[in-house]
Amino acid sequence: MEYLDFELPIKELEEQLDKCQIIGKESDVDVSETCKQIEKKLTETRKDIYKNLTPWQRVQLSRHPNRPYTLDYINAICGETFLELHGDRTVKDDKAMIGGLGKIGDQSFMFIGQQKGYNTKTRQYRNFGMANPEGYRKALRLMKSAEKFDVPVVCLIDTPGAYPGIEAEERGQGEAIARNILEMTRLKVPIIVVIIGEGASGGALGIGVGDKVLMLENTWYSVISPESCSSILWRSWEYKEQAAEALKLTATDMKKLKLIDEIVREPAGGAHANREKNFTIVKNKIISHFEELKKLSPKELVETRMDKYANMGVFNG
């Protein structure tokens, strides 16, 4: 397990607990009471740290190296039923955007999401979770297939942004994202969006229009990352913490501004601390929201979705 700066008190207590347990095993000394005290302190420390997180600390947690990625969720939720589909039928298969059919129980879903890598080699292979235009066109192709066969769509967002390279612009990055936003507003099947990590800029919006938009509590969703905002406003990355505060990018801020529908609570210590529990929580949320959305007709779905987005940002002075 890797630890962030503010998690170091937890690391120290966990190391103390490990040593205490080893001493108990290797000697005749009864250390059960000492272990219990350390466990109690560990629980309290964990609670205190995660209860008072700053926006910047939540950004750090969303990028935690041990945090589960899109494929981790899909494999845990769907198991062997997941069938990955490839290619946009125009340029190539974008490895940063994955998608395919999977089942939760007897219900089929079309899963789409950005995938990051776990080490240098896989990060390059997945282009750091930054999709090219063909990635968004692949996502749209899969959504249209889902609509054709009346399969609900689940989008898992985790990206530092759409790929900003020259070749992406040459192939129409802006048009691909805009097209997806347009088509998703009028898709005739339920769309459930879950932000599982970073939700940055148009890269997230390209698969982010949904009937229900959920955010895990240690994620962020914003037009720009704190570092980029800091470099534009202050010509330096040193003010990223102030930028994170000003951007109102946390799940709590987004819910208050009515830009998302629900905050999904993570296990104590974050999604990476108890992956299995986290996967179960997300799976149950997807099922419960689908049960609600499947009662609506295609016409009602589209009308409700369009009204929802048309009302965002409306100010009654």
Side-chain angles (χ1 to χ4, degrees), residues 236-253:
S236 164
W237 278 27
E238 285 178 23
Y239 300 92
K240 54 188 181 289
E241 292 181 38
Q242 283 172 252
E245 185 76 45
L247 283 166
K248 303 293 178 198
L249 43 64
T250 67
T252 310
D253 292 322

Side-chain angles (χ1 to χ4, degrees), residues 159-205:
T159 180
Y163 184 59
I166 292 172
E167 59 270 38
E169 297 301 331
E170 286 173 346
R171 293 196 294 274
Q173 185 72 287
E175 186 276 338
I177 291 170
R179 171 72 53 188
N180 277 24
I181 293 169
L182 169 67
E183 296 293 349
M184 286 182 87
T185 56
R186 59 191 188 191
L187 208 70
K188 293 184 176 71
V189 291
I191 307 170
I192 298 166
V193 176
V194 188
I195 297 156
I196 59 169
E198 299 183 271
S201 195
L205 279 179

Side-chain angles (χ1 to χ4, degrees), residues 60-288:
Q60 287 178 291
L61 272 176
S62 75
R63 299 168 177 166
H64 199 289
N66 300 117
R67 194 174 178 85
Y69 296 141
T70 297
L71 273 174
D72 297 318
Y73 281 92
I74 292 172
N75 291 330
I77 291 169
C78 303
E80 293 179 2
T81 66
F82 180 63
L83 172 68
E84 189 175 351
L85 301 169
H86 299 271
D88 71 333
R89 302 293 184 267
T90 309
V91 180
K92 63 177 181 179
D93 183 40
D94 190 337
K95 306 299 182 189
M97 184 77 76
I98 59 135
L101 290 160
K103 281 188 171 185
I104 302 178
D106 294 327
Q107 176 63 49
S108 293
F109 289 88
M110 181 66 81
F111 286 89
I112 296 163
Q114 293 102 350
Q115 176 67 24
K116 292 177 176 176
Y118 300 94
N119 52 37
T120 305
K121 194 174 180 180
T122 56
R123 282 176 192 132
Q124 288 177 322
Y125 179 72
R126 298 288 181 186
N127 199 32
F128 300 88
M130 296 187 291
N132 277 281
E134 51 271 22
Y136 292 99
R137 290 178 181 130
K138 170 166 78 169
L140 181 56
R141 180 178 77 80
L142 298 185
M143 288 180 215
K144 285 293 186 184
S145 294
E147 182 182 50
K148 184 179 178 181
F149 296 106
D150 195 27
V151 174
V153 175
V154 175
C155 294
L156 303 172
I157 293 176
D158 186 13
T159 180
Y163 184 59
I166 292 172
E167 59 270 38
E169 297 301 331
E170 286 173 346
R171 293 196 294 274
Q173 185 72 287
E175 186 276 338
I177 291 170
R179 171 72 53 188
N180 277 24
I181 293 169
L182 169 67
E183 296 293 349
M184 286 182 87
T185 56
R186 59 191 188 191
L187 208 70
K188 293 184 176 71
V189 291
I191 307 170
I192 298 166
V193 176
V194 188
I195 297 156
I196 59 169
E198 299 183 271
S201 195
L205 279 179
I207 58 166
V209 178
D211 301 294
K212 296 291 178 185
V213 180
L214 320 178
M215 269 182 91
L216 269 66
E217 64 178 318
N218 294 316
T219 62
W220 62 277
Y221 197 21
S222 176
V223 70
I224 195 169
S225 71
E227 294 95 329
S228 299
C229 177
S230 173
S231 64
I232 290 169
L233 294 181
W234 289 283
R235 308 285 180 201
S236 164
W237 278 27
E238 285 178 23
Y239 300 92
K240 54 188 181 289
E241 292 181 38
Q242 283 172 252
E245 185 76 45
L247 283 166
K248 303 293 178 198
L249 43 64
T250 67
T252 310
D253 292 322
M254 297 300 284
K255 183 76 173 75
K256 205 178 284 180
L257 294 166
K258 296 180 182 174
L259 298 174
I260 62 162
D261 299 289
E262 188 181 345
I263 299 169
V264 179
R265 297 292 169 204
E266 295 180 20
H272 59 284
N274 190 340
R275 284 173 162 232
E276 296 311 314
K277 187 179 178 184
N278 190 60
F279 295 144
T280 305
I281 291 167
V282 172
K283 181 172 84 169
N284 292 339
K285 290 291 180 187
I286 291 169
I287 295 166
S288 66

